[in-house]
Amino acid sequence: MNKRQLGKSDLYLSEISLGCMNLGTDENQAKDIIDRALDAGINYLDTADLYNFGENEKIVGKAIKHRREDIILGTKVGNHFDKEKEDWHWDPSKEHIKNGVKDSLQRLQTDYIDLYQLHGGTIDDNIGETIEAFEDLKQEGLIREYGISSIRPNVIREYVERSNMVSVMMQYNMLDRRPEEEILDLLHNNNISVLVRGPLAKGMLSNKGAKVAEAKAKDGFLDYSYEEMLALTEKLEDYGNEERTLNALALQYVLHHPAVATAVFGASSVEQVDDNVSFLEAAPLTEQIFGEIQALTSPLTYQKHR
């Protein structure tokens, strides 16, 4: 599988990667999913301390214990949670980040985290303090690189100007094209990579997209009405064929922009991993098909969704 450099770092991520949030709580099944992804050439796994209030990190840690050297591991911090009360609040303070990394390292059964990400962020945060925390952890060798997970342009711009982050994780797909408005070029011009989450739009851009949209888009999706979603997913399904499945097309689309390092898909079964690994066998995405997809979908703007 092709790999792409993460910002200016010495980390190279597989073009598609596994988001671990939906692995579930069955350790054996989770391990099967992770092993299938790794065996297919995927080298980046993405989790967060908040997922299942730390349990997801524990499950990932057990699954990769004997394969750590094969993996680039990412997790996130910033949500101060109480597992017993199943409650959390936003806390991007230096104290919480430094305590959070110790807890994550213990749950993940590792000595270091390759990519440590701020799990959100607002313009009212003490951004300078947050950056100091990440820089300290990097100097201490507890993390290799850091980034943020955000869709807020004003927050992203602050970190671009003030930090040495190597990545931004954000939602981006054929239906949600907001990053194309300004953010992708901004990051690319500053040698900061994008980790795309939600490339399949909750499954609506998968091989069963039209059927999924019937169930999940009853109230519409972003600017699309229910009727528009049904019509659009049916049209997109027409692109699924022996040369390229719809899953593969969705992944290829977001990888088209040079700012994107990897498309992070979620999976709750080995079969879903296989559906996305079909990307490896797909015919290359042509500029013609890329243009046709853009003509079908709406160029949503951040102004409408702040």
Side-chain angles (χ1 to χ4, degrees):
M1 187 180 300
N2 291 332
K3 294 181 174 62
R4 298 187 179 188
Q5 185 176 10
L6 189 68
K8 296 178 182 178
S9 76
D10 60 359
L11 300 177
Y12 286 78
L13 277 55
S14 51
E15 287 186 320
I16 61 173
S17 50
L18 181 64
C20 297
M21 184 175 70
N22 297 321
L23 288 178
T25 56
D26 184 316
E27 293 181 6
N28 291 328
Q29 179 175 315
K31 187 175 186 304
D32 287 343
I33 292 170
I34 289 173
D35 284 345
R36 177 69 187 96
L38 297 179
D39 291 344
I42 287 170
N43 74 345
Y44 179 66
L45 302 181
D46 188 272
T47 181
D49 59 1
L50 187 62
Y51 298 163
N52 295 117
F53 301 101
E55 290 303 310
N56 191 264
E57 284 186 327
K58 289 182 180 178
I59 288 171
V60 171
K62 287 182 181 179
I64 67 172
K65 190 173 182 180
H66 302 295
R67 302 187 67 171
R68 180 66 180 94
E69 67 279 2
D70 301 328
I71 294 162
I72 295 175
L73 181 61
T75 191
K76 308 180 194 75
V77 68
N79 293 288
H80 201 141
F81 62 88
D82 185 323
K83 183 178 179 180
E84 300 303 319
K85 295 181 180 179
E86 295 191 350
D87 191 20
W88 69 91
H89 63 271
W90 179 238
D91 185 357
S93 67
K94 180 185 286 191
E95 179 183 9
H96 175 62
I97 291 171
K98 289 198 165 186
N99 288 331
V101 75
K102 294 174 185 176
D103 292 338
S104 286
L105 288 170
Q106 183 178 27
R107 287 189 291 260
L108 290 165
Q109 301 185 52
T110 187
D111 297 325
Y112 66 96
I113 292 165
D114 296 291
L115 180 63
Y116 205 35
Q117 302 159 89
L118 184 68
H119 202 175
T122 75
I123 201 65
D124 297 321
D125 295 341
N126 186 337
I127 291 174
E129 179 182 328
T130 299
I131 293 170
E132 285 179 14
F134 283 115
E135 290 288 351
D136 287 352
L137 294 177
K138 191 173 177 181
Q139 288 295 319
E140 293 165 16
L142 297 178
I143 67 173
R144 295 175 68 184
E145 301 291 350
Y146 67 91
I148 64 172
S149 177
S150 177
I151 60 169
R152 295 174 173 171
N154 53 354
V155 173
I156 292 171
R157 288 192 202 98
E158 284 293 315
Y159 279 90
V160 169
E161 292 177 6
R162 299 169 60 179
S163 79
N164 294 311
M165 69 175 181
V166 297
S167 66
V168 177
M169 174 172 271
M170 64 178 68
Q171 178 169 299
Y172 176 43
N173 55 58
M174 292 189 290
L175 300 175
D176 186 354
R177 292 171 47 204
R178 286 176 291 177
E180 295 174 7
E181 181 184 345
E182 53 182 310
I183 297 301
L184 293 181
D185 287 343
L186 171 69
L187 295 175
H188 182 57
N189 292 338
N190 284 275
N191 292 308
I192 297 168
S193 293
V194 174
L195 279 64
V196 172
R197 64 175 175 84
L200 303 180
K202 301 178 180 179
M204 291 184 284
L205 295 175
S206 70
N207 299 333
K208 301 176 182 177
K211 187 174 292 186
V212 175
E214 285 183 20
K216 293 188 176 181
K218 292 188 182 299
D219 296 321
F221 180 73
L222 297 174
D223 281 354
Y224 300 101
S225 69
Y226 180 55
E227 291 74 21
E228 287 172 335
M229 278 300 302
L230 294 185
L232 182 54
T233 51
E234 285 183 5
K235 288 180 181 177
L236 289 172
E237 280 193 345
D238 291 340
Y239 284 89
N241 52 44
E242 291 183 1
E243 281 194 339
R244 182 187 298 103
T245 66
L246 186 53
N247 281 63
L249 176 63
L251 297 169
Q252 287 179 328
Y253 181 89
V254 297
L255 287 164
H256 185 268
H257 196 286
V260 176
T262 188
V264 185
F265 66 86
S268 57
S269 68
V270 171
E271 289 72 25
Q272 289 178 350
V273 175
D274 290 338
D275 285 344
N276 289 302
V277 170
S278 68
F279 162 84
L280 296 173
E281 301 170 356
L285 181 65
T286 64
E287 289 296 331
Q288 178 181 339
I289 292 178
F290 183 80
E292 290 175 4
I293 297 301
Q294 289 199 314
L296 279 175
T297 57
S298 301
L300 302 170
T301 69
Y302 279 108
Q303 298 298 326
K304 299 178 182 178
H305 300 280
R306 288 195 184 277

